[in-house]
Each structure stands twice: as C-alpha cells, then as structure tokens.
Amino acid sequence: MSLNGATTSARVLVVEDERDIAALVAYHLTREGYRVTSAGSGGEGLHAASTERPDIIVLDLMLPGLSGYDVLQELRRRPGLEDVPVIFLTARREEAERIKGLELGADDYITKPFSPQELVLRVGSILR
Ligand code: CA
C-alpha cells in the first residue's frame, strides 16, 4: 500500500546535480512504486526526457550548464514533452525565480530543504 493509496508505476525523471538529494528523492519515490530515472545535469535531463518519456519531472533550478529554466523552456518547445508536469526544486532565497518558474509553466515547486514524503505526495497529487 502506498502513501497516497494508489498503486502506480508512473515514470518520474529527477534532474538534480546534488547526488545526495537525487538519491533520497529516488529512494522515496521508488518505495512508493514509481519508476525513477535520474539525471545530473540539464542536458542529461533533456536527453532522458526525450528518450524515457516520463510522466512527471522533478527539476532542480540550480544545475551546472543548462539551468532548470532552460530545461523547462526547452521541454515546453518539444512536441510530446510540452505538457509533461514539472515540479521545480528551489532554495528559499530564490522566490523571484520560483515565480518565474511558475510563469514558464512549472506545475508546482518545492523549497529546499524539503521533506521527501511531501515531494512524493505532491508528485502523486499532480498525477492523479
Ligand atoms: Ca542543484
């Protein structure tokens, strides 16, 4: 029985360069039955999004190379990926950026430090 009462095998792409955070998020999502792919940079994330066709993307804002915005903007331009839900991960000091993310079409955001359980619940509620 999963946390939100749903059985799911939805695919989640986690784009996060901080390995500890990526591993923690992947662990909690996998435990709830999600199939998780991780990418450590924006470029890698875009590639994984194109090949894996995830049901939802958890996207860190601060990434080496392409930022989370760049990735989001690019996703919204790509056929087949323009509608994939995106949850942004941002640090608290980045409020203006959070707003920009929502304007660019992010579906939700989570402020670091965050509870992995909360992230799992938000993923579930967006997919429901
Ligand atoms: Ca980061």
Side-chain angles (χ1 to χ4, degrees):
M1 188 68 167
S2 72
L3 209 57
N4 59 16
T7 44
T8 179
S9 56
R11 288 159 302 164
V12 185
L13 171 60
V14 178
V15 187
E16 167 62 89
D17 59 312
E18 289 160 80
R19 285 171 180 270
D20 293 355
I21 296 177
L24 189 70
V25 167
Y27 169 78
H28 284 271
L29 287 168
T30 303
R31 205 174 60 169
E32 292 299 313
Y34 292 101
R35 287 180 287 159
V36 180
T37 304
S38 298
S41 71
E44 220 181 288
L46 280 174
H47 179 72
S50 295
T51 56
E52 311 271 330
R53 299 284 157 165
D55 298 297
I56 186 166
I57 300 175
V58 177
L59 179 59
D60 184 34
L61 177 64
M62 301 301 282
L63 293 164
L66 293 177
S67 74
Y69 297 133
D70 299 331
V71 173
L72 180 59
Q73 267 182 314
E74 185 57 33
L75 287 171
R76 292 301 179 241
R77 277 199 289 260
R78 291 197 182 181
L81 291 171
E82 68 267 57
D83 293 328
V84 65
V86 170
I87 298 180
F88 250 134
L89 298 178
T90 68
R92 187 169 295 282
R93 66 180 181 279
E94 297 158 345
E95 183 176 359
E97 267 113 57
R98 216 149 58 211
I99 291 163
K100 189 173 153 195
L102 292 170
E103 282 171 355
L104 279 176
D107 295 84
D108 201 356
Y109 65 84
I110 293 188
T111 305
K112 292 178 180 178
F114 59 89
S115 136
Q117 284 94 342
E118 184 188 352
L119 186 143
V120 170
L121 286 171
R122 296 235 201 154
V123 165
S125 84
I126 288 178
L127 289 176
R128 200 152 36 229

